[in-house]
Amino acid sequence: MEDIFYSEEWYPIKHISTFVDKEFFYYLCDEQKIEIYQLEDCKEIEKITLSEKEYKIKFTNYCGYLNKELTHLVIPKKLIDLWGLNPYNKEKLKEDFNKKFENFLWKVLNDLGNLGLLFNLSPASFPVEETPKEENLIFQILVLLEFVPTLEENLGWIIADPHRELIKRETYKPIEEVNELEPAVVVDIVQNPHRWVESSRGFLKGRNKRFAPTEVLQFEYIETHDTVENRFIKRLLEEILFILDTAEGKYKKIPPQLVYLKETIGWYLQTTFLREVGSLKQIPSHSKVLQRKPGYRELFKLWRLLHTSFVPSFYSKLELVFALKDMATLWEYYVLTVLLRELKEIYGPFEVEIDFESRKKSKTLYEFAKFRFSKGGLLYFQPEKKDFAFNTLPLRPDFLFEFENNRLILDAKFRFFEGKNRSSKLEQLYKYKGALNPKGVVAIAISKDKSTQQSKI
């Protein structure tokens, strides 16, 4: 059975159904990533049996694995040329594809972190999925990427001025060195006659003799770094190392700044006072040190973010995209980061006004977001707009930017607009132009020539 499929070709649906999870098959259908021969509407797939031989399938807008075991890969032939992949060696083809995807994956994650998108999301309003058993790895990686620039600075504050405590320690000293006599000391002397010796100057009397203790209980006050707050910092750094090791094992590599973060944390754990700090037994959530002291309060905030059990559905979807290496969906997120970065330069900082709401139209599940820029301008992600010209079903472009009473429509196309079929691939964009009356329509697509990455109408 084939384990490499080319998206330009038709395959019997009977073969595909033997290794594709039915739920994922419907996901590909809902996301319009497949085309089924003899079916006008992909959603009619529910009416047929997946084992029927006469039906054939083509992967129109999907590039990635079809199963979690990562054995069956769909790839466009033109992507082979673009990335310089070897089509004649299947194992090498998959290996090189994985490397290219991972490079792209970390670029998108870095861009999301650099935009501060994570912290523009409002915890009070974004759609969430509760995951108390296991935190979302993608979410944690984005949190760490956001904190990398300041993490070393915060650790520096802690090392320079670590929290200390004075602890009272019991010790025994010769009688001549005693400088403190309190009730507890007297009680200890009386309760331990085995430490008495006969002495003419003794202050203890018994059997017509005088006795004096050879050593007396005293209390010392010493300064220590072994506090619950410092144990917390040590525990947090160890958890960060675990997260980074997990990510490296799952995604095969991590960005250079996270590699540096691993080395930095390892150095702090091995060469500073943290190596002598004990193990944490309970999180000191109400500690005033963690809430107020510079360095400690920032790392306490980081810990709370890493362990939140509520994660935006946006990141849960990213987890699926990364697990199956779905290049088409990743391309949409990449285009989103590019648009936000470019528009931010012109229209100022943005805030997420609507936070990736999960919406459903018929049986299609999609996400909607709205970004407002400080100098005017609104960017919509997957908005539904009514077709005023023909009064048909609402249209849903990938991006819509409204500014100064104008609108610009942009569509992320993980396609190559080369050759004779260029116009047919832009058919949907012509609909947007005719129905929604925008100032312009732009297809942001893939091209071997960087100067032609945008195809305009």
Side-chain angles (χ1 to χ4, degrees):
M1 184 180 294
E2 294 183 75
D3 56 3
I4 299 286
F5 298 88
Y6 296 107
S7 59
E8 298 86 350
E9 300 178 10
W10 291 92
Y11 298 94
I13 199 170
K14 180 179 180 181
H15 293 166
I16 304 296
S17 65
T18 58
F19 52 81
V20 176
D21 178 79
K22 190 174 183 180
E23 190 173 325
F24 183 63
F25 197 88
Y26 289 146
Y27 163 77
L28 293 176
C29 181
D30 286 341
E31 295 290 317
Q32 300 177 339
K33 295 178 183 294
I34 58 176
E35 185 179 324
I36 300 177
Y37 184 64
Q38 294 183 342
L39 286 185
E40 292 184 7
D41 187 348
C42 178
K43 295 180 180 61
E44 293 181 19
I45 191 172
E46 294 182 5
K47 299 178 183 177
I48 68 171
T49 306
L50 296 184
S51 59
E52 292 184 40
K53 353 175 153 173
E54 61 268 28
Y55 290 101
K56 292 185 178 180
I57 182 176
K58 181 161 71 171
F59 301 94
T60 56
N61 194 26
Y62 180 72
C63 174
Y65 286 93
L66 294 171
N67 54 349
K68 292 182 179 179
E69 292 74 27
L70 306 183
T71 54
H72 295 81
L73 173 65
V74 176
I75 190 168
K77 288 181 180 177
K78 288 183 180 179
L79 193 58
I80 292 177
D81 297 331
L82 183 70
W83 280 355
L85 305 177
N86 180 3
Y88 304 107
N89 184 331
K90 289 185 177 181
E91 287 305 313
K92 188 74 167 58
L93 176 59
K94 287 195 284 188
E95 179 185 344
D96 291 343
F97 169 79
N98 289 339
K99 287 180 181 177
K100 294 288 185 181
F101 178 87
E102 284 152 13
N103 290 336
F104 192 34
L105 177 155
W106 290 115
K107 175 171 178 51
V108 174
L109 285 179
N110 281 328
D111 290 347
L112 287 170
N114 292 335
L115 283 166
L117 184 61
L118 173 66
F119 297 101
N120 275 285
L121 296 177
S122 166
S125 61
F126 57 52
V128 297
E129 294 180 4
E130 187 173 5
T131 56
K133 294 182 180 178
E134 183 179 355
E135 285 85 10
N136 184 292
L137 184 60
I138 294 299
F139 184 84
Q140 291 178 322
I141 291 297
L142 281 168
V143 169
L144 291 176
L145 283 170
E146 184 76 20
F147 270 83
V148 163
T150 59
L151 188 60
E152 189 169 8
E153 179 185 353
N154 292 323
L155 284 172
W157 278 104
I158 292 172
I159 300 304
D161 184 22
H163 176 59
R164 304 173 181 87
E165 282 183 355
L166 281 175
I167 61 171
K168 190 176 182 181
R169 187 175 69 177
E170 294 183 352
T171 185
Y172 283 88
K173 293 185 177 181
I175 187 71
E176 59 271 15
E177 295 181 16
V178 172
N179 56 22
E180 185 176 3
L181 190 64
E182 58 180 73
V185 175
V186 175
V187 171
D188 183 78
I189 292 173
V190 173
Q191 289 181 340
N192 294 281
H194 61 279
R195 294 197 179 100
W196 301 354
V197 293
E198 189 174 345
S199 171
S200 59
R201 301 177 61 187
F203 58 85
L204 298 169
K205 292 182 180 181
R207 298 179 184 178
N208 298 320
K209 296 180 181 180
R210 288 179 174 274
F211 297 90
T214 54
E215 53 185 10
V216 178
L217 173 67
Q218 291 288 277
F219 297 100
E220 289 183 337
Y221 292 87
I222 61 171
E223 198 176 65
T224 180
H225 293 121
D226 192 13
T227 67
V228 290
E229 290 82 4
N230 290 330
R231 290 184 178 191
F232 167 81
I233 295 299
K234 181 178 180 179
R235 169 76 171 273
L236 171 62
L237 296 181
E238 290 171 343
E239 286 186 1
I240 292 174
L241 289 181
F242 176 77
I243 291 170
L244 295 177
D245 285 340
T246 302
E248 201 166 16
K250 185 171 184 178
Y251 303 122
K252 308 308 177 188
K253 64 180 290 187
I254 56 178
Q257 58 266 54
L258 293 185
V259 173
Y260 174 74
L261 179 62
K262 279 183 66 175
E263 295 172 353
T264 301
I265 289 176
W267 183 86
Y268 276 109
L269 288 174
Q270 294 171 19
T271 62
T272 68
F273 70 87
L274 291 172
R275 65 181 178 181
E276 298 173 1
V277 170
S279 300
L280 185 69
K281 295 181 180 178
Q282 187 174 357
I283 302 297
S285 301
H286 301 293
S287 166
K288 293 292 188 288
V289 173
L290 292 182
Q291 294 173 10
R292 298 178 183 176
K293 190 169 183 179
Y296 287 88
R297 66 188 174 206
E298 288 78 13
L299 293 188
F300 187 46
K301 176 185 177 183
L302 170 59
W303 176 82
R304 286 187 295 184
L305 279 168
L306 288 174
H307 288 278
T308 180
S309 61
F310 292 96
V311 176
S313 59
F314 170 63
Y315 297 102
S316 298
K317 186 174 180 181
L318 276 178
E319 186 73 38
L320 174 65
V321 169
F322 295 159
L324 295 171
K325 296 182 169 45
D326 176 1
M327 273 291 295
T329 302
L330 186 56
W331 176 253
E332 290 179 11
Y333 291 134
Y334 169 69
V335 172
L336 172 63
T337 63
V338 171
L339 290 176
L340 288 173
R341 185 172 60 248
E342 296 294 327
L343 292 173
K344 184 179 177 183
E345 291 293 318
I346 303 170
Y347 294 94
F350 65 87
E351 63 178 14
V352 185
E353 198 165 286
I354 298 179
D355 306 319
F356 296 94
E357 290 181 355
S358 293
R359 295 186 175 184
K360 194 169 187 179
K361 187 69 177 179
S362 183
K363 293 181 181 179
T364 301
L365 189 66
Y366 67 98
E367 290 173 314
F368 172 68
K370 180 180 177 183
F371 306 86
R372 182 178 295 276
F373 293 84
S374 61
K375 296 180 182 178
L378 288 170
L379 178 67
Y380 297 88
F381 177 58
Q382 296 197 100
E384 279 206 344
K385 295 294 179 180
K386 189 174 181 182
D387 180 350
F388 293 105
F390 305 101
N391 198 28
T392 59
L393 292 173
L395 299 172
R396 191 173 69 249
D398 290 334
F399 304 98
L400 171 65
F401 183 60
E402 293 181 347
F403 62 104
E404 301 171 0
N405 297 320
N406 292 309
R407 53 171 51 172
L408 177 67
I409 290 176
L410 306 104
D411 234 32
K413 299 289 187 185
F414 185 67
R415 294 177 181 175
F416 298 87
F417 290 152
E418 300 170 351
K420 299 179 181 178
N421 297 324
R422 180 187 178 104
S423 296
S424 63
K425 292 178 181 179
L426 294 172
E427 182 180 346
Q428 186 66 28
L429 275 69
Y430 283 106
K431 287 183 182 178
Y432 294 150
K433 181 164 185 171
L436 303 179
N437 193 30
K439 186 81 172 177
V441 181
V442 179
I444 304 177
I446 296 174
S447 171
K448 297 176 186 178
D449 182 357
K450 292 183 179 179
S451 65
T452 59
Q453 285 186 322
Q454 295 185 353
S455 297
K456 298 184 180 180
I457 298 179

